[in-house]
Amino acid sequence: MKEKTKSRIDILGCQIDKVNMDQALAFIEKRINENIPSHIITLNAEIVYQAHKDQQLREVINSASLNTPDGIGIVWAARQLGVTLKERVTGIDLLDRICSIAPARGWSIFFLGAAPGVAEQAASRLLAKYPGLAIVGTENGYFKEEEEKAVIAKIKALSPHILFLGLGAPKQEYFIRRNLKLLGAPVCIGVGGSFDVVAGIKKRAPILFIKLNLEWLYRLLAEPSRFKRQLALPRFAWLVLKQKWRGY
């Protein structure tokens, strides 16, 4: 199958951008400079498989400003469909890279999500790691539906350039889609459970697992309760192969 040249690739009905980390960061910088409300999703195979069966979620994904290839499953799927993706752009790596360059760019950041105290702890660690980083506020993700307007008002009043949401997928995607223009942040990015890792509550896979693209296996070994969720991966792979065969 020949290499495809379009800027997005269709995987099971979900449009994913063919971007590496530097290109994603350039896109974010452009959107901040132009003050364009932007929804960024870091897509993995589990979410794509779920969206394949859920039209509403698929519409949310395809209406996003940028969908990055988060997991190795997406990289593998793209290869099966004739596209070579240079690297994964994961939520936690994107968060860290943004925080590393934010002081020089003058960007301010807000963390929304995780259990009470976790976002604050994650912010504290990042502030120690990157002097000059402006994290203007945090809020846990355990707010009730009737408290949502107050949370939005708090974020808008602080006017961050970037809002990171750790509400879990797809809840964070629906929240952003519903409130993007109300939040007042040019860039909103869902990062799933990244706050727990940054805060030190959960460990990320050792570097060897990451380099071998086996981060998913480490998470499964560390959290056996994820087994049921991981069953989506072979189903995802089968559907991708069916899409590939239809394309020949």
Side-chain angles (χ1 to χ4, degrees):
M1 185 179 287
K2 293 182 179 179
E3 179 77 16
K4 296 180 180 179
T5 57
K6 290 183 179 180
S7 60
R8 281 189 159 189
I9 176 174
D10 181 299
I11 299 178
L12 305 186
C14 292
Q15 301 296 314
I16 299 166
D17 293 278
K18 297 189 291 183
V19 295
N20 59 25
M21 180 63 76
D22 289 340
Q23 290 169 328
L25 291 171
F27 178 89
I28 289 166
E29 183 166 19
K30 185 173 187 293
R31 289 303 180 106
I32 291 174
N33 290 341
E34 295 175 354
N35 195 30
I36 300 174
S38 304
H39 180 186
I40 297 175
I41 303 176
T42 56
L43 273 177
N44 62 29
E46 290 179 42
I47 303 173
V48 171
Y49 176 74
Q50 185 176 347
H52 174 72
K53 303 181 296 179
D54 184 337
Q55 182 179 350
Q56 185 179 4
L57 177 57
R58 196 161 62 248
E59 289 173 355
V60 170
I61 290 170
N62 291 340
S63 67
S65 311
L66 184 72
N67 294 322
T68 73
D70 181 295
I72 188 59
I74 297 298
V75 176
W76 172 85
R79 190 181 302 121
Q80 299 305 310
L81 299 172
V83 175
T84 300
L85 297 174
K86 294 182 179 179
E87 62 180 343
R88 297 186 299 149
V89 183
T90 69
I92 192 167
D93 290 329
L94 186 58
L95 185 156
D96 189 75
R97 282 291 301 275
I98 286 174
C99 289
S100 74
I101 65 175
R105 304 292 199 280
W107 297 343
S108 60
I109 291 167
F110 192 105
F111 286 170
L112 171 63
V118 173
E120 289 90 335
Q121 191 172 338
S124 178
R125 286 194 166 202
L126 287 166
L127 289 169
K129 185 178 181 180
Y130 299 117
L133 178 62
I135 298 179
V136 295
T138 64
E139 182 66 48
N140 73 71
Y142 283 64
F143 55 89
K144 298 176 182 177
E145 185 177 348
E146 58 268 25
E147 298 172 320
E148 185 173 295
K149 288 184 178 179
V151 171
I152 294 168
K154 176 181 178 179
I155 295 167
K156 187 172 183 179
L158 292 168
S159 301
H161 293 96
I162 301 169
L163 170 63
F164 286 108
L165 295 95
L167 301 175
K171 181 180 178 180
Q172 60 200 15
E173 275 63 61
Y174 284 120
F175 181 92
I176 297 172
R177 171 67 178 273
R178 189 166 62 246
N179 301 306
L180 182 61
K181 293 183 179 180
L182 301 175
L183 289 162
V187 173
C188 297
I189 309 174
V191 293
S194 297
F195 295 163
D196 288 328
V197 177
V198 175
I201 294 170
K202 292 184 179 179
K203 290 185 178 181
R204 193 177 184 187
I207 190 67
L208 180 62
F209 278 77
I210 296 173
K211 286 184 175 180
L212 293 175
N213 292 315
L214 292 173
E215 201 166 0
W216 64 271
L217 177 60
Y218 177 85
R219 288 199 300 268
L220 179 58
L221 294 172
E223 300 177 63
S225 60
R226 294 176 61 92
F227 178 75
K228 188 174 181 180
R229 287 176 55 187
Q230 295 291 348
L231 290 175
L233 299 180
R235 295 167 182 161
F236 167 83
W238 171 244
L239 289 171
V240 168
L241 291 175
K242 287 176 68 177
Q243 181 179 342
K244 174 184 179 180
W245 295 330
R246 285 200 304 269
Y248 276 113

